[in-house]
Amino acid sequence: MRSLTTLFDHRPENQPVALQLLVMGPDLFFAHPLPRGRTLTIGRADNVDVQLTDPMASRVHARIHVGPTGTLEVEDVGSINKTKVRDTTLAAGERVGLLPGEAITIGSTILMAQEAPGSRDPGASGRTPTSRPASRRSACARPKRAPRS
């Protein structure tokens, strides 16, 4: 029996893939790379790695921990409005594992880790990449903010 979280079980063994964080909010839509072995901060502050515009997000709201092998964990860092994964509200400091395709909810913003387009050799898996032309991807990228004075 397959569950919804096993949609990615066809990955060939030992084939690393690049991951990205897809960010979908009321007024933004962009993808941010998830480099292996790094921890990224998420929130509204200017100094976070993944900046949100959602008023329900704290300045520093959550962290995504990317292990050296591509494992993912999400952690709420004590935000007022909390972080949800699989419709479960995380306690401050709580870390839970995350699979590609599972949603993280921060206010009205949905974040989802997924394979980056073109990150897999199509000959190794028998599938072709489903990436869109670069011009369409760049149209969705979030514009850089001008520094505040």
Side-chain angles (χ1 to χ4, degrees):
M1 173 189 250
R2 288 173 48 118
S3 70
L4 292 177
T5 58
T6 61
L7 294 175
F8 299 94
D9 61 359
H10 296 304
R11 178 173 297 135
E13 292 298 316
N14 301 322
Q15 182 174 349
V17 295
L19 296 173
Q20 67 182 7
L21 186 66
L22 190 60
V23 181
M24 301 163 279
D27 60 350
L28 56 85
F29 180 84
F30 67 96
H32 189 284
L34 290 173
R36 295 173 189 270
R38 293 237 359 245
T39 297
L40 290 97
T41 55
I42 302 167
R44 288 189 347 262
D46 290 334
N47 63 340
V48 297
D49 299 302
V50 180
Q51 190 174 40
L52 307 179
T53 57
D54 193 322
M56 298 288 288
S58 297
R59 286 182 292 247
V60 179
H61 195 102
R63 291 188 191 106
I64 292 187
H65 303 273
V66 186
T69 61
T71 57
L72 298 167
E73 290 183 317
V74 64
E75 171 189 10
D76 185 276
V77 293
S79 63
I80 298 293
N81 292 314
K82 306 298 180 192
T83 304
K84 288 186 177 182
V85 176
R86 294 182 290 276
D87 289 326
T88 301
T89 302
L90 303 183
E94 182 180 3
R95 285 170 70 159
V96 297
L98 187 71
L99 293 173
E102 290 185 308
I104 303 166
T105 305
I106 295 176
S108 299
T109 303
I110 306 294
L111 303 96
M112 185 179 296
Q114 64 179 23
E115 281 185 21
S119 67
R120 177 193 296 264
D121 175 11
S125 67
R127 297 186 333 187
T128 56
T130 57
S131 61
R132 292 180 276 166
S135 60
R136 295 212 38 212
R137 276 198 313 261
S138 61
C140 295
R142 184 170 179 264
K144 294 281 185 187
R145 280 185 168 180
R148 292 182 181 174
S149 40

